[in-house]
């Protein structure tokens, strides 16, 4: 066991050295060059702020109970709730629309000009309408994340369906798949899955980046994005960095989990896949 741990450490020595070097440079720069915690808190300042944040307690309402949890966990749960609302809505609408656009030319002609007009509008520009249409509640934050996540899913699903090799379709027809439903189910969807999965990963990244803005307009008093701005107003920049790093690590974890799930569930037939 010790030998195995040593071997794993040796195999990851370059990555470990890179992270340690970055932390040393950060600490030296903050303490000896910048010398101002407001402009750049040191690594040790952020570590202390992290310990304080973890030790604080918060309340998370669940069903009819008020669960007392570490405040960092409460903020994380709120952010995941906002993120899930937006992403699930984007998946539920984006994948079917992309599939229909990619398979039926008439649907593409109807939706393509509308999407091309709306798609360049930044998700943050929709915040005023999120407040007016939905209000200051978790669904308002979810709406902004939905806007950010929707178009990568539509575009990648559409591209995947458009790229289905014609020979696959013709071969399926020879073998008895004659309806659009059968062809989409047995040929187009399996062929387009890598593109759809790539779109979902891009959408998750964009939606996660929209989270800070989605929580800054007062949808709740909790959330990772909300706490970044809250601590900024208090000039607690070490706490700001704590929440920024939590956002980064959590986003990385979500992406790795999704990638692992997709590869185990749908792409076992592929070897050396690069996603």
């Amino acid at each position: 066991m010790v030998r195995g741990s040593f071997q794993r450490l040796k195999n990851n020595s370059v990555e470990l050295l890179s992270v340690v070097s970055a932390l040393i440079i950060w600490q030296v720069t903050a303490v000896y060059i910048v010398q101002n915690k407001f402009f750049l808190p040191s690594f040790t300042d952020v570590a202390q702020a992290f310990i304080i944040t973890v030790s604080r307690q918060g309340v998370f309402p669940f069903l009819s109970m008020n669960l007392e949890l570490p405040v960092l966990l409460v903020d994380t749960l709120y952010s995941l709730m906002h993120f899930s609302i937006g992403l699930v809505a984007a998946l539920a609408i984006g994948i079917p629309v992309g599939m229909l656009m990619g398979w039926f030319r008439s649907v593409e002609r109807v939706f393509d000009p509308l999407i091309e007009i709306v798609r360049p509008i930044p998700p943050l520009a929709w915040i005023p309408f999120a407040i007016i249409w939905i209000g200051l509640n978790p669904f308002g934050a979810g709406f902004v994340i939905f806007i950010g996540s929707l178009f990568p899913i539509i575009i990648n699903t559409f591209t995947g369906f458009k790229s289905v090799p014609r020979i696959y379709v013709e071969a399926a027809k020879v073998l008895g798949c004659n309806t659009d439903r059968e062809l989409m189910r047995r040929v187009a969807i399996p062929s387009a899955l890598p593109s759809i999965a790539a779109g979902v990963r891009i959408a998750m990244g964009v939606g996660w980046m929209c989270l800070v803005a989605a929580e800054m307009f007062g949808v709740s008093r909790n959330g990772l994005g909300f706490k970044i701005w809250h601590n900024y107003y208090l000039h607690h920049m070490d706490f700001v960095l704590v929440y920024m790093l939590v956002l980064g690590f959590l986003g990385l974890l979500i992406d790795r989990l999704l990638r692992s799930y997709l590869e185990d569930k749908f792409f076992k037939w592929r070897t050396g896949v690069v996603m």
Side-chain angles (χ1 to χ4, degrees):
M1 183 177 177
V2 175
R3 188 176 179 181
S5 301
F6 179 77
Q7 187 61 40
R8 283 196 296 272
L9 187 64
K10 185 179 178 181
N11 293 338
N12 296 319
S13 58
V14 174
E15 291 82 357
L16 188 63
L17 184 63
S18 171
V19 173
V20 172
S21 300
L23 293 179
I24 293 173
I25 293 172
W26 174 11
Q27 181 73 16
V28 171
T29 303
V31 174
Y32 296 104
I33 298 177
V34 179
Q35 298 182 348
N36 188 325
K37 292 183 180 181
F38 182 71
F39 282 94
L40 181 63
S42 67
F43 171 70
T44 51
D45 292 330
V46 174
Q48 290 175 358
F50 176 76
I51 294 172
I52 294 171
T53 305
V54 171
S55 63
R56 290 175 179 169
Q57 295 293 304
V59 175
F60 182 75
F62 181 72
L63 299 178
S64 59
M65 300 179 292
N66 286 325
L67 303 178
E68 192 169 331
L69 301 170
V71 69
L72 188 59
L73 180 57
V74 173
D75 291 324
T76 301
L77 291 174
Y78 269 95
S79 290
L80 289 176
M81 177 177 65
H82 299 154
F83 178 67
S84 300
I85 291 171
L87 185 65
V88 170
L91 289 171
I93 295 176
I95 290 179
V97 170
M99 289 169 59
L100 294 174
M101 285 179 62
W103 194 255
F104 299 105
R105 174 64 179 158
S106 57
V107 179
E108 179 191 351
R109 293 182 63 187
V110 171
F111 281 97
D112 187 61
L114 302 176
I115 290 174
E116 291 304 314
I117 292 172
V118 177
R119 186 167 63 91
I121 300 173
L124 308 190
W126 289 92
I127 288 178
F129 283 104
I131 297 173
I132 294 172
W133 289 346
I134 303 175
L136 298 175
N137 54 53
F139 292 97
F143 176 77
V144 177
I145 296 167
F146 162 77
I147 294 293
S149 305
L150 179 65
F151 297 111
I153 295 174
I154 291 178
I155 298 300
N156 275 59
T157 306
F158 167 73
T159 304
F161 267 65
K162 273 290 185 186
S163 303
V164 175
R166 180 172 292 276
I167 190 170
Y168 291 175
V169 178
E170 292 174 352
K173 287 182 177 178
V174 171
L175 294 173
C177 293
N178 293 315
T179 64
D180 286 319
R181 182 177 178 180
E182 287 179 327
L183 289 170
M184 290 174 72
R185 179 187 170 194
R186 298 189 181 278
V187 178
I189 291 177
S191 176
L193 264 181
S195 182
I196 296 172
V200 172
R201 285 190 68 198
I202 295 170
M204 289 180 67
V206 175
W208 194 247
M209 287 189 282
C210 292
L211 184 67
V212 175
E215 292 180 341
M216 66 178 284
F217 62 91
V219 294
S220 74
R221 303 291 296 174
N222 291 95
L224 298 173
F226 171 79
K227 287 298 176 69
I228 286 177
W229 285 100
H230 175 72
N231 285 299
Y232 164 71
Y233 289 130
L234 299 176
H235 290 189
H236 293 166
M237 301 307 289
D238 44 357
F239 288 87
V240 170
L241 268 174
V242 168
Y243 279 95
M244 287 172 61
L245 291 173
V246 171
L247 269 173
F249 282 114
L250 201 55
L252 176 65
L253 177 65
I254 292 172
D255 183 72
R256 290 296 171 90
L257 288 176
L258 175 69
R259 179 176 172 175
S260 175
Y261 174 77
L262 291 174
E263 288 183 351
D264 290 343
K265 188 78 175 177
F266 298 106
F267 303 131
K268 283 183 178 178
W269 52 276
R270 302 178 70 187
T271 56
V273 61
V274 178
M275 291 179 58

